[in-house]
Amino acid sequence: VDLDVQKVPHLVNLNEDPLMSESLVYFIKEGSTKIGRKDADEKIDIILSGINVAKVHALLENHEGHVTIHAMGKARTFVNGVLLPPEDPKRELHQSDRIIIGNNHLFRFNHPVEAAERRKAMPVEQNEEDELARVIDWTFAQKELAVAQGISFFGQEGKNMLKEMEEKMQKMEEAMEQERKESERRMEEERTKMMEQAERATGAEREDLRTKMEELEQRETELQEALEQQRQRAVADAQRKMRRKRERNFIEDKLVRIIPMITEANAISDELRENKFFEVKLVTRFGDANKFTGDDFREQKSTEIAIKVSNIDDGTSVMWSEEKFMNRIYLIREAYMNYQECDGDYAMDRESESNPFYDPPEDQLIGKAYVYLNSLGFLVEIEEHTPIVDYKGNQEGELRVELYPRAFNEQNTEIEFIENPSELLGCTMKVLVKLPYARGLPIKYANGVFVRFLFPEDTESCETLRSDRKTINPQWHYEKELTFVVTDELLKLLDSSAVTFEVWG
């Protein structure tokens, strides 16, 4: 067997468990080698089983060392992450190519003769063939498949962004160090010059120099404080960079495991004719705008995995959490096992709660509109058409928001004008919130649209009524007056925080 491995092209299996990888070797003899199931009507050379493995799945042809793979019919066959379509099902294979058969069978193609020729063509110090073989494992193949499916989290774009951020940080640190040294040099020169002048000075001149020395020391102190603030900002930036890098690695590990399950769910949906399509989405979540202010709010964003489930029949879609999908995939597998046991004579009610593909109608978050409140601290009303932004950052319409503040002193006299928000401390503030309408919403979420929000210092969220008909321009004419006692904390929140208006449909 060792001699054959050194001469004959072959496939080796790749597995999520490294100990199981490369434990199976399938030789590709001269001529034709068929891949398929054991229940095929013809002789199969490489027998596989599982979801989306056809009876005669693919044909490997070896002609004088040139190996090609030919996907049969609509059999799902991937080469280097790319699905072979029925109109162009044939590919020539080369050393270290990745092949996916059906849903779960991953292989690396080894061509010993081609690999040896590559080694000879490269200088020894540049030869990366052996290292490449070690790198191409199950994880590599899954990431490659994710990139091919449009999930750019693994792609070069993400890597370039991370590299650019690291280079920017390094340049900033170098500039800070250069600025510190240059400032210290100038200070030392000025101090030396003043000391020399002090030795020669008398009377009023010495007093003048003493004043200048004090000013110099003050500038030096201020410089050190400014440099310390810069250093703290640099440390905070470095911490954010490390946090994003850890988050990125965490999400990558999750995606590598969940993408094969997505493929499996789609395959079962096709076979059971459920007409559902699953796809991974990376969702950006923001922290509560009422709890974080300024840069703190912007830094509270995180990336999460969600699963978009589309109904092929009517084009509607819902978002499942990762946890919900992980629970459903086991039920989906169970349904498929029941289907197999009945030899395909098995059907589920599409709108039954026992159907793991079914989701009863529930509210979907269309997007969020953020309104900053600093104007309220000066008793200035807010009247805005605010963009409604979905989880991908796309605008999904506009929300009309109107906020009318009024303030009353201890004598319950309305305050007409202030120069500084601190003048409101201890007063009663009333804010009339009006949500007249939204416009330009996506048609698929245009039923029963309503808005939910939570104001700073409030303990319970507020909601509009649902729109009473299907429309992309719902109207509510909602009004509610909120009352607060003005405190230092409230003024801080008004100065730099936002209210999040969630639009549901």
Side-chain angles (χ1 to χ4, degrees):
V1 173
D2 291 340
L3 182 63
D4 287 337
V5 171
Q6 295 302 317
K7 293 181 179 180
V8 180
H10 54 276
L11 301 177
V12 296
N13 74 305
L14 300 177
N15 194 281
E16 183 177 5
D17 183 351
L19 296 177
M20 298 293 291
S21 282
E22 303 186 25
S23 59
L24 299 174
V25 179
Y26 297 99
F27 295 106
I28 305 171
K29 62 185 183 296
E30 184 74 21
S32 298
T33 300
K34 291 181 181 179
I35 301 174
R37 300 202 312 248
K38 64 181 180 181
D39 59 344
D41 298 328
E42 50 193 288
K43 183 179 181 298
I44 300 297
D45 302 293
I46 299 177
I47 297 176
L48 304 175
S49 61
I51 300 171
N52 267 343
V53 176
K55 289 185 177 182
V56 182
H57 194 100
L59 182 66
L60 293 166
E61 296 178 321
N62 181 356
H63 296 295
E64 298 180 352
H66 295 281
V67 180
T68 58
I69 185 168
H70 190 135
M72 309 303 290
K74 296 182 179 180
R76 289 172 61 86
T77 306
F78 296 82
V79 176
N80 299 336
V82 179
L83 178 67
L84 300 184
E87 63 271 15
D88 185 20
K90 197 170 183 178
R91 290 290 184 278
E92 184 174 357
L93 298 178
H94 298 282
Q95 170 66 16
S96 298
D97 280 350
R98 285 72 61 200
I99 300 168
I100 301 178
I101 301 294
N103 278 23
N104 305 315
H105 298 285
L106 274 70
F107 302 95
R108 185 178 69 238
F109 175 68
N110 287 347
H111 197 310
V113 175
E114 185 178 330
E117 290 174 352
R118 288 185 183 181
R119 291 190 186 96
K120 290 178 182 178
M122 281 186 174
V124 175
E125 61 273 13
Q126 295 181 10
N127 192 349
E128 300 178 352
E129 194 62 44
D130 293 334
E131 181 64 26
L132 182 63
R134 285 191 291 270
V135 169
I136 296 177
D137 55 7
W138 185 88
T139 299
F140 180 96
Q142 293 295 348
K143 287 184 178 181
E144 179 179 58
L145 181 62
V147 172
Q149 292 179 349
I151 302 176
S152 60
F153 202 77
F154 295 117
Q156 194 61 40
E157 180 183 350
K159 294 177 182 177
N160 289 342
M161 184 175 64
L162 192 63
K163 183 180 179 181
E164 181 181 345
M165 186 168 58
E166 291 172 348
E167 290 175 351
K168 182 178 179 181
M169 179 65 65
Q170 183 177 354
K171 288 180 180 179
M172 186 175 69
E173 291 173 351
E174 291 173 353
M176 285 175 54
E177 180 64 17
Q178 185 176 352
E179 180 182 351
R180 183 187 66 80
K181 290 180 179 179
E182 181 63 22
S183 299
E184 289 179 350
R185 184 191 63 79
R186 290 197 304 268
M187 291 286 189
E188 187 61 32
E189 287 180 356
E190 196 168 345
R191 185 183 291 106
T192 302
K193 182 179 178 181
M194 287 185 178
M195 291 181 67
E196 291 173 353
Q197 290 175 351
E199 292 177 358
R200 298 190 299 269
T202 58
E205 291 179 346
R206 285 190 176 182
E207 183 63 25
D208 184 51
L209 284 171
R210 186 180 68 79
T211 302
K212 290 182 178 179
M213 287 288 287
E214 290 176 353
E215 292 175 353
L216 178 63
E217 290 175 357
Q218 178 64 27
R219 290 207 310 272
E220 186 174 1
T221 300
E222 292 173 354
L223 174 64
Q224 292 298 330
E225 291 176 352
L227 288 173
E228 176 61 21
Q229 290 176 358
Q230 282 188 335
R231 187 193 68 80
Q232 290 176 359
R233 285 196 295 268
V235 169
D237 287 340
Q239 290 173 343
R240 283 193 291 268
K241 180 184 72 173
M242 290 302 297
R243 184 168 63 249
R244 288 169 184 164
K245 190 173 183 178
R246 287 195 299 270
E247 182 187 70
R248 178 188 178 85
N249 292 337
F250 180 66
I251 293 294
E252 281 191 0
D253 289 342
K254 279 191 170 185
L255 283 174
V256 163
R257 286 164 176 76
I258 205 169
I259 286 173
M261 298 180 189
I262 295 292
T263 306
E264 180 183 2
N266 282 326
I268 295 176
S269 175
D270 287 344
E271 193 152 347
L272 298 185
R273 299 181 181 85
E274 287 294 326
N275 291 345
K276 296 293 194 300
F277 183 74
F278 299 82
E279 54 186 324
V280 174
K281 296 293 181 181
L282 298 179
V283 180
T284 299
R285 303 288 189 195
F286 287 90
D288 188 345
N290 297 330
K291 295 181 180 179
F292 303 100
T293 60
D295 292 337
D296 292 333
F297 169 60
R298 287 185 283 274
E299 285 303 320
Q300 294 308 311
K301 68 179 182 180
S302 60
T303 302
E304 298 177 2
I305 293 175
I307 314 301
K308 182 179 180 181
V309 186
S310 301
N311 188 323
I312 298 173
D313 292 333
D314 59 18
T316 59
S317 62
V318 296
M319 298 296 290
W320 286 3
S321 67
E322 178 191 358
E323 180 181 6
K324 181 173 182 177
F325 174 77
M326 294 301 291
N327 291 333
R328 289 290 184 95
I329 190 64
Y330 293 105
L331 299 175
I332 290 171
R333 288 169 177 166
E334 183 179 355
Y336 184 70
M337 290 174 61
N338 293 335
Y339 172 81
Q340 287 184 311
E341 289 174 359
C342 298
D343 293 325
D345 185 19
Y346 178 79
M348 295 182 292
D349 183 350
R350 286 194 176 180
E351 295 189 1
S352 168
E353 292 187 0
S354 62
N355 185 332
F357 293 92
Y358 173 67
D359 239 5
E362 59 182 26
D363 296 323
Q364 298 294 315
L365 179 63
I366 299 173
K368 299 179 180 181
Y370 299 97
V371 176
Y372 282 88
L373 306 174
N374 51 326
S375 297
L376 300 184
F378 293 89
L379 300 181
V380 176
E381 65 271 10
I382 297 173
E383 298 176 338
E384 296 182 0
H385 286 99
T386 307
I388 300 168
V389 181
D390 70 4
Y391 69 93
K392 294 183 289 188
N394 297 328
Q395 184 171 335
E396 294 288 1
E398 291 182 333
L399 177 67
R400 176 67 176 182
V401 179
E402 300 175 5
L403 305 176
Y404 300 99
R406 301 169 65 198
F408 301 84
N409 59 23
E410 293 179 353
Q411 289 75 39
N412 203 30
T413 301
E414 185 170 357
I415 300 171
E416 298 293 341
F417 174 78
I418 61 169
E419 293 184 354
N420 192 300
S422 61
E423 298 173 31
L424 296 175
L425 284 172
C427 296
T428 299
M429 176 180 281
K430 296 185 177 183
V431 179
L432 178 61
V433 180
K434 291 186 177 182
L435 301 173
Y437 57 85
R439 60 191 184 192
L441 303 184
I443 186 64
K444 60 184 176 182
Y445 299 129
N447 276 321
V449 180
F450 68 96
V451 180
R452 178 185 298 148
F453 66 95
L454 179 66
F455 220 81
E457 297 286 273
D458 217 351
T459 55
E460 294 184 4
S461 61
C462 304
E463 287 185 8
T464 67
L465 296 175
R466 295 174 181 269
S467 58
D468 56 3
R469 61 189 180 89
K470 185 173 184 178
T471 173
I472 64 172
N473 303 311
Q475 297 185 13
W476 306 282
H477 303 293
Y478 172 88
E479 293 187 10
K480 181 165 186 176
E481 189 171 67
L482 306 174
T483 303
F484 309 95
V485 175
V486 180
T487 62
D488 285 325
E489 183 64 26
L490 178 63
L491 290 179
K492 289 179 182 177
L493 290 171
L494 294 179
D495 180 57
S496 54
S497 69
V499 172
T500 303
F501 293 90
E502 297 180 346
V503 183
W504 295 78

